Amino acid sequence: MAFEASCCTFTAVLMLVMAIATMAILRSQEARISSKSRLDYIPDKGWLRETVHWDADHSRFLVSHMEGGIGEIPITPKIRPAREHTLVPRNSTPPLAGLSTNGFKVDTPRHRIVAAMADLVKNRYSAVIAYDTRTWEQLFFLKLAGPERASLADDVAVDEQGSIYVTDALGGLIWKVTSDGSSFEVLTAEGAFAVKPKHWLISFVTVNGIVYHPNGFLLVMHTAGDCIFKVSLDGKIVQKVVMEGTFCGDGIALVSPTKLAVSGLWTGAKLVETHDMWSSANITHFYAGPRHRLATSVTVKDGDVFINYMVGQGIPYYLTIGQAAFTPVSS
């Protein structure tokens, strides 16, 4: 009996020590997001957020719900944590039922947002959807792939004419959708993004974050290949950007025509710069964010890069959008 009591006491003490150590690690990781440059908010519905974009016209962050839907987080300095307001609720009726809202872009000239939607569990459905940012009425919904093959519509870009480009993170291709969402085509040839995976844990994730460059081409992050591609708008030229470094990249955002911000899942974020219009590039700055939060996307607000952290924490549960405090990469 004495031996059993001793074992129970030892187990209890060990568990307490482990709990304290875990909390200390989490606190040290969380401290990487400065209290002066973070926006904590209580989610209105759901638990996970995939993408963030700064909507300058309305002074708010917009976020996509992995459970389906779009929310806004207004900038209210006197209210912390902020409260998310759902603009587009999760839809439980087909064909939207069960679809995650993933990457999206604010298409300011056309007063809309365009978002990629997909079946995250079975990968049997991918689509693109658009909403009017003034009324939040659905403008169009277009199915891109069904149960005939595995697919995952992941992120979108919109060019100056309003054409929409959607990455398929499982199929390794880009869909090009007409501006009105009435039809689409596969933009890139089969195998155009064939590269050797560098990260076994995410080796199934191919083309991911995508942006339109004002000089008339696309930049695409290849997650498993740990590289960036430059793609012509007709899909005929797919060029791997010459560079070195590790990303674990997910979402991307243009800071300027020569600078690109990359969210790195559990590695934080990095700044990439080119001097030859994206034939080659170098990682110039990095930011080591909290590893337990998962940095899934980046957006630019007043020249600063802000990161969306997919996973929240705390009681009550809160999520965070944090400014990246970049440090120059030593030569």
Side-chain angles (χ1 to χ4, degrees):
M1 295 293 292
F3 176 74
E4 290 181 358
S6 176
C7 286
C8 289
T9 301
F10 174 77
T11 301
V13 172
L14 180 61
M15 292 181 65
L16 178 61
V17 170
M18 291 177 63
I20 294 173
T22 300
M23 291 300 298
I25 293 172
L26 290 178
R27 287 178 65 88
S28 67
Q29 290 287 318
E30 197 66 16
R32 294 182 176 184
I33 310 176
S34 170
S35 60
K36 296 181 180 180
S37 58
R38 64 186 292 158
L39 176 59
D40 296 329
Y41 64 97
I42 305 296
D44 182 29
K45 297 181 184 298
W47 292 81
L48 304 173
R49 301 293 177 265
E50 210 282 339
T51 298
V52 65
H53 272 287
W54 172 246
D55 181 7
D57 284 357
H58 301 93
S59 298
R60 63 187 176 184
F61 286 105
L62 298 176
V63 292
S64 62
H65 297 189
M66 292 192 73
E67 302 85 358
I70 300 288
E72 71 167 349
I73 300 94
I75 305 299
T76 50
K78 294 183 179 180
I79 301 176
R80 288 293 186 272
R83 293 277 177 175
E84 180 191 17
H85 172 61
T86 296
L87 298 170
V88 178
R90 181 179 184 178
N91 197 316
S92 59
T93 59
L96 295 173
L99 299 184
S100 168
T101 307
N102 301 321
F104 68 94
K105 290 295 188 297
V106 179
D107 186 7
T108 301
R110 296 165 191 85
H111 304 288
R112 66 181 184 178
I113 70 164
V114 185
M117 301 191 74
D119 170 12
L120 287 181
V121 178
K122 297 181 180 179
N123 306 128
R124 295 172 63 85
Y125 201 99
S126 287
V128 61
I129 196 167
Y131 298 99
D132 188 313
T133 53
R134 296 163 296 186
T135 64
W136 292 102
E137 294 181 358
Q138 180 179 311
L139 299 175
F140 66 77
F141 176 86
L142 180 66
K143 176 183 174 182
L144 300 173
E148 68 276 3
R149 67 171 182 86
S151 67
L152 200 163
D154 189 273
D155 197 12
V156 302
V158 182
D159 68 19
E160 293 173 352
Q161 285 69 46
S163 297
I164 302 157
Y165 305 85
V166 186
T167 54
D168 180 356
L170 293 183
L173 57 84
I174 297 174
W175 293 290
K176 183 175 182 179
V177 180
T178 56
S179 180
D180 62 359
S182 60
S183 63
F184 72 94
E185 63 178 324
V186 176
L187 180 71
T188 49
E190 184 177 355
F193 299 100
V195 292
K196 183 179 180 180
K198 293 185 178 180
H199 304 289
W200 67 269
L201 188 62
I202 49 176
S203 61
F204 59 93
V205 184
T206 60
V207 289
N208 199 328
I210 183 172
V211 295
Y212 169 73
H213 192 282
N215 281 32
F217 56 86
L218 304 169
L219 292 174
V220 184
M221 170 57 61
H222 194 295
T223 300
D226 223 10
C227 59
I228 298 169
F229 283 91
K230 178 180 178 180
V231 183
S232 62
L233 296 186
D234 60 7
K236 294 181 179 180
I237 301 174
V238 178
Q239 174 188 351
K240 183 179 176 183
V241 178
V242 178
M243 62 181 303
E244 296 181 356
T246 298
F247 294 107
C248 294
D250 194 335
I252 58 178
L254 273 180
V255 181
S256 74
T258 60
K259 292 183 180 180
L260 185 74
V262 180
S263 60
L265 296 176
W266 50 84
T267 65
K270 293 181 180 179
L271 278 181
V272 181
E273 187 170 1
T274 183
H275 297 287
D276 55 12
M277 202 46 61
W278 299 103
S279 291
S280 64
N282 294 294
I283 298 174
T284 60
H285 294 74
F286 72 95
Y287 165 64
R291 295 180 180 274
H292 65 293
R293 290 288 204 131
L294 291 182
T296 57
S297 73
V298 283
T299 189
V300 179
K301 174 184 178 294
D302 301 326
D304 295 318
V305 175
F306 284 79
I307 302 173
N308 173 73
Y309 293 102
M310 183 179 74
V311 181
Q313 66 175 33
I315 301 176
Y317 187 81
Y318 67 90
L319 288 145
T320 299
I321 300 167
Q323 182 179 341
F326 288 109
T327 300
V329 174
S330 60
S331 57

